[in-house]
Structure formats: structure tokens, C-alpha cells
Amino acid sequence: MPLSEHEQRMLEQMERALYAEDPKFATALEGSGLRTYTRRRVYQAVAGFLVGIGLLMAGVMIPDQIWISLVGFVVMLGCAVLAVTGWRKAPKPGDRQAAQGAAGGPAGRQPRQKRSMMNRIEDRWQRRRDEQGH
């Protein structure tokens, strides 16, 4: 459900006031901050994956220390999962809706986008309340 013109104007006024009052905090709340965070998380996961490869190789080369290889494999697996999930969740460079969806809830959501179970439950609850006239 898109915002009305009056709501958009009020939101823009609040954004301008926030920038005027505390520009550092306002820039931290922008969508690019989320994009930077997820990008940094993916890079850390890739670095961890490389450390896992090193541990795996070290465990193979050191006799009677197979547990090091197992730890390396687990580190590699965990970092691979973190990298893939972080990469999928990262907003695209020009995508303003991802930042609005994270900050404003379902208002910025596209109609056929995947929704979480909690969002569906909340929607059903709201529909029931609306049907009952509350």
C-alpha cells in the first residue's frame, strides 16, 4: 500500500529535520549503509573460507591431526553459507525499495515478493480485525 501525498510530504519533512539535526546518524540509516554492511559481511565470509582452506590443508599435512582438517571444513562450510545468504540479502545499488522495506515495513513491498510467515500471519490478523469492524 503506497503512502498518500500528505504522508510522503511529512516523511520528507522528517527526513530533512533528521539530516539537519544529526547528519551522521541520518547517513548511517540510509540504505547504502545496509549495502555496505552486507558487502563487508560477504568479504569477511570469503576471508574465513580461505582460512578454512588453510586449516584443511594444514590438517592433511600434519600427521595425526585430522581434527584440524575437520575444523577447517566446518569453517569453510559456515563461511560459504554466510557469504551466499549475505549476497542474496544485499540490496542492489539503485534499489531504494529495499531500504524502505527494511525501515518502513510492508509499505515498500512489491505485490508478489516472497513474504515471511510472520508477515502473512500479521496480514491475516489485520484482515480479521478489519472484517469484524475493529
Side-chain angles (χ1 to χ4, degrees):
M1 181 170 87
L3 298 174
S4 69
E5 289 181 30
H6 176 68
E7 290 171 331
Q8 288 177 352
R9 282 193 306 267
M10 292 201 47
L11 183 60
E12 289 172 4
Q13 288 175 352
M14 287 190 294
E15 286 178 0
R16 283 193 299 263
L18 180 62
Y19 273 105
E21 186 176 317
D22 194 357
K24 186 176 179 182
F25 179 68
T27 54
L29 293 178
E30 286 182 345
S32 62
L34 178 63
R35 188 171 53 246
T36 303
Y37 169 75
T38 53
R39 187 180 307 139
R40 186 179 315 132
R41 182 175 166 194
V42 169
Y43 290 152
Q44 289 171 347
V46 169
F49 188 84
L50 294 176
V51 168
I53 289 175
L55 286 173
L56 184 70
M57 293 180 131
V60 170
M61 292 185 155
I62 299 173
D64 298 328
Q65 299 296 324
I66 195 73
W67 63 272
I68 295 175
S69 293
L70 293 175
V71 169
F73 178 76
V74 170
V75 168
M76 287 172 50
L77 184 64
C79 289
V81 169
L82 282 176
V84 169
T85 58
W87 192 261
R88 286 182 182 171
K89 291 180 182 178
K92 305 297 181 243
D95 192 13
R96 186 77 175 153
Q97 281 188 334
Q100 290 173 350
R109 182 174 289 135
Q110 294 178 356
R112 297 305 293 166
Q113 187 176 3
K114 284 187 178 180
R115 297 178 0 186
S116 71
M117 182 178 74
M118 287 304 295
N119 287 337
R120 291 191 306 256
I121 290 171
E122 288 174 3
D123 289 344
R124 288 182 199 151
W125 178 261
Q126 190 63 37
R127 276 193 305 243
R128 287 183 189 139
R129 286 184 56 111
D130 291 342
E131 288 173 358
Q132 293 176 356
H134 286 100

